[in-house]
Amino acid sequence: TILVLDFGSQTSHLILRRLRALGVFTELLPCNTKIAELTWKPKGIVFSGGPSSVYDEGSPHVDPAVFDLAVPILGICYGCQEIAWRADSKNVARGEKREYGHADVTVTKVNSHADRLFAGMGDKVAAFMSHFDKLVKLPTDYVVIANTENSEFAGIAHKEKPIFGVQFHPELEHTPCGEALLRNFSVDICGAQPNWQMGDFVQLEIARIRETVGDRALVLGACSGGVDSTVGAALMKEAIGDRFKAILIDNGCMRLNECEEVKKTLSDHLGIDLTVVDGEELFLSRLAGVTEPETKRKIIGSTFIDLFEKEAIRIEKEAESSANAGKVIKSHHNVGGLPQRMIDGQGLRLLEPLRLLFKDEVRAIGRQLGIHESLVGRHPFPGPGIAIRILGDVTKERVDIARKADHIFISMIKEAGLYDQISQAFAGLDTNRSVGVFGDQRVWGYIVILRAVRTKDFMSAEIFKFDLEFLENVSRRICNEVEGVSRVTYDLTSKPPGTIELE
Ligand code: XMP
């Protein structure tokens, strides 16, 4: 196992993802994990990137004992600066120029020890950078193995020890040499066996769930019907059978007919005990007049918790006789975290079976557990649902319009055989209205925004390039069939700068 110590970079999880894709099992722990408390010895350690500056007071640092483990270390960006800063705090400083995006990296051959990180890659590689701070001095006992125009020390290696650092991000899709570099580090330098498979994850996770649950009588799961929560529920069912009960909270912002479909899938197809809580009125009343995106998310998150808590207490009372052993809550990260009061106050424990996995890995597990392809291959849908696809006010009328338009768009994508080529697609609604003409009447109607993107990891995305004729047909159907819509637009913005959702 390779251990990734996380300094808080948005891409720390991607390091795990890339290593696991190579068949190397990897775990993620906080950067300040006490090494003496580790119950296993990693084959190698990666220090991730992070948003802080190593030289600032209060910035995160590793337990220095990590260097006494005498296992190979690879520092990425902040992680590389951490290695250099540990050697001498003057080694790292703010650069004169930021360096974001593509960079041409020149690889320098030194000797058979230092050259192992870039082995087999030639002397010019392309990489993705994202930093301001940089190494301004080469740490004592280190050699330079790579540089860019702006970073003299873009890659370093210790002269004798297997300690390496790179300023760029090998875990990003846009660093083409990243996969080879991570393979060189994990397999060749650390000696990790690239033989790990997703099937091992399922067995390990089922064992972990059983151990955490112990003899508790009741495990509650928050299910949205999306890929993650459905696969999570199937995994729970596999691990502990009927002691698992799922709760679906209808927040009034789900897709057309979604509640009924989720019921069918979870109850009929997977045999899971499901309770549906109708929260539409409460959610929409609390959202009334709220237009700021993060406030919308917070309201939806806290209303969700209120209803979930109420339902959990009800189910628990119902199962009183068998619930003496206490209870466990399983929640997916989309819930936005359960409040501490709920966990402390009620002696609950949290199980997050898929917390470290990426969507395609969750899908692979879903397939292994025999979940229908139509469900496993579903596009992701955000927890706050249509509320963050409607710019501005979330009213029942606007939700219904967005829902109908979305249904037409997605159905037409499916009919055209394009669904699996697109990572995420939806129809949202603009804040403004626009004038249209229907027959002899001028109407002041809503503006539908169509969005469809392709992405592997949802961190960056490109728009899907439909035929114009297809989009024209979608537009015609939406204007004809969804009352109140006078105009349809297609969003041409990649991510970045646009996010995938509209808010
Ligand atoms: P953005 O819009 O940030 O989205 O480019 C990236 C991915 O994350 C999903 N997303 C969310 N999922 N709650 C969720 O459960 C949220 O608040 C949320 N915001 C974005 C989005 O659907 C996309 O797949």
Side-chain angles (χ1 to χ4, degrees), residues 227 363 367 372-380 410-425 452-456 458 464 466:
V227 183
R363 287 188 168 128
R367 289 190 184 104
H372 287 166
E373 189 58 35
S374 61
L375 240 156
V376 170
R378 259 183 125 187
H379 292 172
I410 299 297
S411 306
M412 289 180 74
I413 286 176
K414 284 185 179 159
E415 280 157 22
L418 299 173
Y419 191 79
D420 293 338
Q421 295 173 39
I422 298 171
S423 314
Q424 202 165 353
V453 296
R454 280 161 64 94
T455 169
K456 282 210 182 91
F458 299 86
F464 187 77
F466 291 106

Side-chain angles (χ1 to χ4, degrees), residues 204-220:
L204 280 173
E205 201 52 26
I206 286 180
R208 188 182 80 91
I209 293 169
R210 287 187 180 143
E211 194 190 318
T212 314
V213 173
D215 61 358
R216 290 176 173 82
L218 188 59
V219 178
L220 300 176

Side-chain angles (χ1 to χ4, degrees), residues 175-186:
T175 296
C177 67
E179 186 182 327
L181 188 146
L182 289 172
R183 185 188 298 109
N184 286 346
F185 176 72
S186 59

Side-chain angles (χ1 to χ4, degrees), residues 432-454:
N432 294 318
R433 291 210 253 172
S434 131
V435 172
V437 54
F438 285 75
D440 291 332
Q441 276 190 341
R442 288 169 80 81
V443 294
W444 195 39
Y446 289 112
I447 306 167
V448 165
I449 302 171
L450 305 177
R451 183 134 175 81
V453 296
R454 280 161 64 94

Side-chain angles (χ1 to χ4, degrees), residues 297 332-335 359 380-385 388-389 424 458-459 495 498-503:
R297 280 189 170 82
H332 180 250
H333 61 270
N334 277 4
V335 170
K359 195 67 87 192
F381 185 66
I388 56 169
R389 295 176 171 179
Q424 202 165 353
F458 299 86
M459 307 287 286
K495 171 183 177 174
T499 53
I500 294 174
E501 301 297 342
L502 297 185
E503 289 191 333

